Every structure is written in C-alpha cells, then in structure tokens.
Amino acid sequence: MNRPVIDKQHVRTLARLTFGNAASLIYLGLVLAAAVFVSVDILFVAHEDASFAGVWLFLLAAPTVFVFFIGSALWGAEAAGPAWFVHLALVVSVLLQSLALGWFVRLVRGGSRTRTAHPQGA
C-alpha cells in the first residue's frame, strides 16, 4: 500500500521547526508586535497623510513576500494584487521564514535530535 506524501510525522516535524525553537518564536513575536503596532496605528491614530507603519511588516517578511509580489506581477496583477493576496502573502512569507529559521537552528545544532540507544552504554 502506498504511503501518503505527508503523514503525521512530517506535519509534526514541520510544526516543530516552525514553532518549536527559540529563534522562530522570537521572530514570530516580533512579527506579532509589528502587526499589533500597525493595527493600532491604522485604527486609533489620526494621520494627515499616509502612515508608514505597515512598512515594518513588509521588512520583517522580506525577502519572501517580494517573491510573491513579483509572481503576482508576472500574472498581471497591479500593485501586488487585491488586499486578500497581500495579507495571504504576508502570512505565508512569515511562516516560511519561521520554518527556515527552525531548519537553520536544527542544522547548526547538528541535525535531528533523535537519539539511538547504544549497546553497553558506548
């Protein structure tokens, strides 16, 4: 019988790499703080002209968010596409970068953390 391409173990590994290490959690915390800052600025602060608060989210999501924008421009969308696409691109970019950070931390620490039993304690 064929195994599914993504099973529970793969999903757990991806979730652990994305959310289960200090580097990814710090990065996601920074993104969350920037999102709260942007939301408060948009909803509660009156501006005479446009605010640049949203730039912080794009700087934290760079460079992968710009790959999405280039892709949408190649498909013919104007100004990065509709609002739902911009929000989706931000979320997917942040999650991809958190996964990349988790993978990098795992790589630096020496691969997987699975330990095998050694005979006679050697």
Side-chain angles (χ1 to χ4, degrees):
M1 180 174 250
N2 293 337
R3 285 182 42 189
V5 176
I6 297 181
D7 58 356
K8 288 181 182 180
Q9 184 64 27
H10 287 100
V11 172
R12 278 192 213 120
T13 301
L14 289 174
R16 193 176 313 118
L17 288 174
T18 305
F19 304 107
N21 60 71
S24 294
L25 290 177
I26 290 170
Y27 172 71
L28 291 172
L30 286 172
V31 171
L32 181 63
V36 168
F37 173 71
V38 170
S39 299
V40 167
D41 186 64
I42 289 172
L43 296 174
F44 300 115
V45 178
H47 297 284
E48 292 181 17
D49 56 357
S51 171
F52 283 100
V55 171
W56 290 106
L57 278 175
F58 288 99
L59 289 176
L60 287 170
T64 54
V65 72
F66 298 118
V67 173
F68 285 105
F69 291 162
I70 290 170
S72 70
L74 291 175
W75 284 93
E78 295 179 16
W84 65 267
F85 180 77
V86 174
H87 291 98
L88 183 65
L90 277 169
V91 169
V92 171
S93 296
V94 165
L95 290 176
L96 280 174
Q97 290 185 169
S98 180
L99 175 68
L101 273 171
W103 177 79
F104 183 71
V105 167
R106 184 178 187 184
L107 180 71
V108 168
R109 287 187 177 170
S112 69
R113 292 185 162 207
T114 59
R115 298 177 191 220
T116 59
H118 295 284
Q120 302 167 353

